[in-house]
């Protein structure tokens, strides 16, 4: 009941004008023990209203709010100061723990508190009001990743109410700064506050979930065990500055355009890493007839069946899993029509396959550009991400819970083309899976970094239940 009281106090924040948007007006506040979904929706709705857009982040007020919810429940929680940079509201991580018996090493539930910007004109509702209706919570962060933080929090609160402790401590860690690379968030915690990780054995974070398809394809519980590594580069052209009335030969902007044209046409070789081969092999039995045989041995058939190769690579998502990609994003040049700038530059967002190095890829780009007067600087590079093992208690716990929640579901170790904070933890040897129990048909994921991001209340509820089930399976004595 303490949880109900905490939620009631929290939802007091909805009283007044903001209360009007809540569609459950006039009803009793939900008791999370009976209605986990409504409790989750209300916390998430409030969390979305904290404007934690990165940059600058400003995650601290959100960390404090969520920390207060946990503390009111008697859960040990700490707001961990992180470097604030340009943030005026401050930046911080939230750390909380429910102790187990200590017989086995802890498990960490990780998520992030920052969000990407939202252009309100593209949304059907305001992106930062946390509107709730039609069974959904709508707003920036509903999926990525405030909805995950809330599901993990409610799982932690449920574990805290258990009479018998689990074998493992369960640690909640929600960090700032993931969306711009995490160096001041998860990276900072790993560098400066490693004791908070308590020698954990396992970590669950974003990056994988449950894909709902049309029958007969079963739900796929995708557990990300590795991911591509970002390698962010800045291409800089310098030239003679001055008046633009005479056509320049070595001006910065035209030279930059020449270099970028080469980058745009560049395509790295395809390469099927074992993690990707294994993932497609697991999915092969459910693929279209004409692809079934080839997907069961992707490395072989992509090489020897050109028709299949063309079909496979035409899918941009699949293409990104078998080669390094590079995308031109930011452009900087002159600021006035009749003035040639001294310098023009562009940012490249390259994503590398596991095992590749940013330094080598950078030299490849230097060769592609082939202009000694153009510099290629490294903006962000990590060590090539490692892969977490699949033969673990955590993976088996997820498999067992999948069998209970989704009989017939496929549990597939995945490689993902995006990147998360998982690599910081994998580098410490913590088995880290990108997995949140969340059931999404493919189109729902478009809200991630896009307009009209939303999550269903049913998903929040089942997600928290499935998370609790995984933690109990992982941390119960005598299970194995
Ligand atoms: Zn995210």
């Amino acid at each position: 009941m303490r949880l109900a009281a905490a939620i009631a106090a929290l939802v007091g924040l909805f009283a007044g004008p903001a209360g009007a948007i809540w569609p459950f007006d006039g009803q009793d506040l939900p008791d999370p023990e009976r209605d986990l979904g409504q409790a989750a929706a209300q916390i998430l709705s409030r969390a979305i209203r904290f404007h934690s857009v990165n940059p600058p982040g400003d995650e601290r007020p959100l960390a404090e709010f969520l920390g207060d919810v946990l503390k009111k429940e008697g859960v040990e929680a700490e707001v961990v100061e992180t470097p604030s940079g340009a943030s005026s509201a401050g930046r911080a991580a939230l750390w909380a723990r429910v102790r187990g018996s200590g017989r086995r090493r802890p498990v960490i539930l990780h998520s992030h508190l920052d969000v990407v910007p939202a252009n309100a004109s593209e949304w059907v509702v305001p992106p930062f009001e946390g509107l709730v209706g039609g069974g959904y919570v709508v707003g920036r962060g509903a999926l990525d990743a405030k909805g995950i933080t809330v599901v993990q929090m409610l799982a932690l609160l449920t574990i805290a109410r258990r009479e018998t402790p689990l074998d493992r401590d369960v640690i909640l860690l929600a960090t700032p700064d993931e969306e711009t690379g995490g160096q001041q968030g998860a990276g900072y915690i790993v560098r400066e506050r490693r004791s908070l990780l308590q020698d954990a054995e396992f970590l669950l974070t974003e990056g994988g979930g449950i894909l709902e398809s049309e029958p007969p394809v079963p739900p796929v519980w995708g557990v990300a065990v590795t991911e591509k590594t970002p390698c962010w580069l800045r291409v800089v052209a310098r030239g003679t500055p001055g008046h633009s009335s005479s056509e320049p030969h070595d001006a910065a902007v035209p030279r930059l355009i020449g270099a970028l044209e080469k980058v745009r046409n560049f395509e790295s070789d395809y390469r099927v890493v074992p993690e990707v081969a294994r993932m497609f092999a697991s999915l092969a039995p459910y693929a279209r007839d004409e692809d079934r045989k080839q997907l069961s041995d992707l490395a072989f058939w992509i090489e020897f069946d050109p028709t299949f190769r063309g079909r496979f690579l035409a899918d941009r998502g699949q293409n990104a899993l078998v080669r390094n990609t590079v995308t031109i994003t930011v452009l900087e040049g002159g600021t006035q029509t009749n003035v040639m700038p001294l310098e023009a530059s562009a940012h490249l967002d390259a994503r590398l396959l596991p095992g590749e190095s940013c330094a080598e890829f950078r030299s490849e780009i230097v060769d592609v550009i082939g202009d000694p007067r153009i510099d290629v600087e490294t903006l962000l590079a990590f060590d090539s991400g490692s892969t977490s093992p699949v033969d673990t208690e955590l993976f088996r716990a997820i498999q067992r819970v999948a069998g209970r929640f989704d009989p017939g579901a496929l549990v597939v170790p995945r490689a993902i083309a995006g990147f998360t904070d998982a690599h910081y933890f994998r580098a410490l040897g913590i088995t880290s899976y990108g997995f949140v129990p969340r059931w999404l048909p493919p189109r729902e994921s478009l809200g991630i970094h896009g307009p009209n991001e939303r999550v269903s209340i049913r998903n929040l509820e089942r997600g928290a239940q499935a998370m609790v089930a995984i933690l109990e399976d992982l941390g119960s004595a005598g299970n194995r």
Side-chain angles (χ1 to χ4, degrees):
M1 286 309 107
R2 281 180 307 149
L3 178 58
I7 303 289
L10 149 74
V11 173
L13 295 166
F14 285 95
I21 60 161
W22 185 262
F24 306 100
D25 248 12
Q27 297 182 11
D28 285 340
L29 293 169
D31 170 1
E33 285 195 51
R34 284 202 314 272
D35 202 340
L36 199 59
Q38 294 302 336
Q42 299 206 14
I43 300 174
L44 177 57
S45 168
R46 184 74 186 100
I48 287 170
R49 294 186 206 184
F50 287 87
H51 204 269
S52 57
V53 173
N54 182 17
D58 292 337
E59 298 93 339
R60 186 178 187 109
L62 174 58
E64 281 168 353
F65 161 73
L66 297 174
D68 285 347
V69 174
L70 289 164
K71 284 179 204 159
K72 277 179 197 146
E73 272 301 295
V75 171
E76 179 186 6
E78 185 188 335
V79 172
V80 180
E81 182 112 22
T82 60
S84 276
S87 160
S88 50
R91 310 193 75 173
L94 171 65
W95 180 92
R97 170 171 62 184
V98 170
R99 283 185 185 274
S101 70
R103 285 185 53 216
R104 286 185 283 174
R105 288 159 62 202
V107 53
I108 298 174
L109 307 179
H110 174 262
S111 65
H112 62 89
L113 300 172
D114 59 320
V115 293
V116 295
N119 181 349
S121 68
E122 297 168 357
W123 287 59
V124 295
V125 297
F128 294 102
E129 287 187 12
L131 297 185
V132 181
Y136 285 86
V137 183
V138 190
R140 175 58 83 225
L143 293 169
D144 181 16
K146 292 175 181 177
I148 299 174
T149 311
V150 168
V151 161
Q152 293 177 340
M153 251 178 84
L154 285 174
L156 190 77
L157 289 173
T158 307
I159 295 294
R161 286 204 302 266
R162 278 176 59 100
E163 277 168 20
T164 2
L166 297 178
D167 282 357
R168 302 173 186 275
D169 290 5
V170 180
I171 294 169
L172 180 90
L173 179 64
T175 51
D177 200 41
E178 192 274 341
E179 296 292 358
T180 56
Q183 314 237 47
Q184 306 304 326
Y188 173 81
I189 300 288
V190 161
R191 286 192 308 273
E192 308 288 340
R193 299 293 308 272
R194 194 170 299 180
S195 63
L196 294 173
L197 307 179
Q198 300 278 315
D199 191 31
E201 181 173 10
F202 295 120
L203 179 139
L204 286 168
T205 186
E206 63 182 348
I210 303 160
L211 185 67
E212 289 187 307
S213 307
E214 297 293 317
V217 180
V220 175
W221 289 44
V223 179
V225 295
T226 193
E227 50 194 44
K228 290 179 84 178
T229 311
C231 168
W232 292 355
L233 304 174
R234 180 167 176 262
V235 180
V236 190
R238 291 184 186 84
T240 314
H243 199 282
S244 52
S245 55
S246 60
E247 209 179 347
H249 286 295
D250 69 339
V253 172
R255 284 235 317 282
L256 179 69
I257 291 173
L260 294 181
E261 182 61 11
K262 292 176 185 163
V263 171
R264 188 166 82 97
N265 292 320
F266 167 71
E267 195 167 62
S268 69
D269 295 336
Y270 60 82
R271 184 165 74 84
V272 180
V273 299
E275 295 87 349
V276 168
R278 179 176 58 192
M279 170 178 132
F280 281 103
S282 319
L283 297 169
Y286 306 94
R288 292 177 305 187
D289 290 348
E290 67 267 36
D291 289 342
R292 203 165 291 160
K293 177 182 70 177
Q294 287 86 340
L295 291 179
S296 68
D297 189 356
L298 182 62
F300 178 83
W301 290 106
I302 202 169
E303 194 66 42
F304 296 106
D305 182 344
T307 316
F308 164 73
R309 177 167 68 234
R311 203 161 58 226
F312 182 87
L313 296 178
D315 179 301
R316 287 199 309 168
Q318 293 177 2
N319 181 60
L321 287 174
V322 295
R323 55 165 49 114
N324 300 331
T325 58
V326 55
T327 308
I328 304 164
T329 52
V330 177
L331 272 181
E332 290 163 320
T335 53
Q336 217 172 302
T337 310
N338 61 348
V339 177
M340 297 188 296
L342 170 68
E343 188 179 292
S345 65
H347 292 199
L348 308 182
D349 179 357
R351 305 296 178 95
L352 310 183
L353 291 172
E356 307 261 345
S357 103
C358 189
E360 277 169 33
F361 187 78
R362 183 191 152 280
S363 341
E364 208 174 333
I365 292 295
V366 167
D367 290 347
V368 166
I369 292 174
D371 180 346
R373 294 168 308 169
I374 293 213
D375 289 329
V376 180
E377 303 164 354
T378 304
L379 295 174
L380 176 80
F382 301 129
D383 293 341
S384 175
S386 51
T387 298
S388 289
V390 171
D391 182 19
T392 67
E393 271 187 61
L394 178 55
F395 197 87
R396 287 187 287 275
I398 294 171
Q399 282 176 315
R400 278 189 289 266
V401 170
R404 277 169 50 198
F405 277 71
D406 262 344
L410 268 186
V411 184
V412 176
R414 287 187 58 191
I416 56 171
F419 77 95
T420 70
D421 280 338
H423 65 95
Y424 289 113
F425 305 104
R426 289 198 182 112
L428 300 182
I430 301 175
T431 293
S432 303
Y433 293 153
F435 179 74
V436 279
R438 184 165 69 189
W439 288 256
L440 295 180
R443 72 187 150 73
E444 286 284 330
S445 329
L446 297 176
I448 295 174
H449 295 201
N452 306 319
E453 182 177 352
R454 63 178 194 169
V455 67
S456 70
I457 296 174
R458 172 107 177 103
N459 243 327
L460 295 171
E461 178 178 351
R462 281 185 88 199
Q465 289 164 342
M467 187 62 91
V468 169
I470 291 167
L471 294 171
E472 290 187 335
D473 186 290
L474 185 66
S476 298
N479 239 4
R480 279 160 288 280

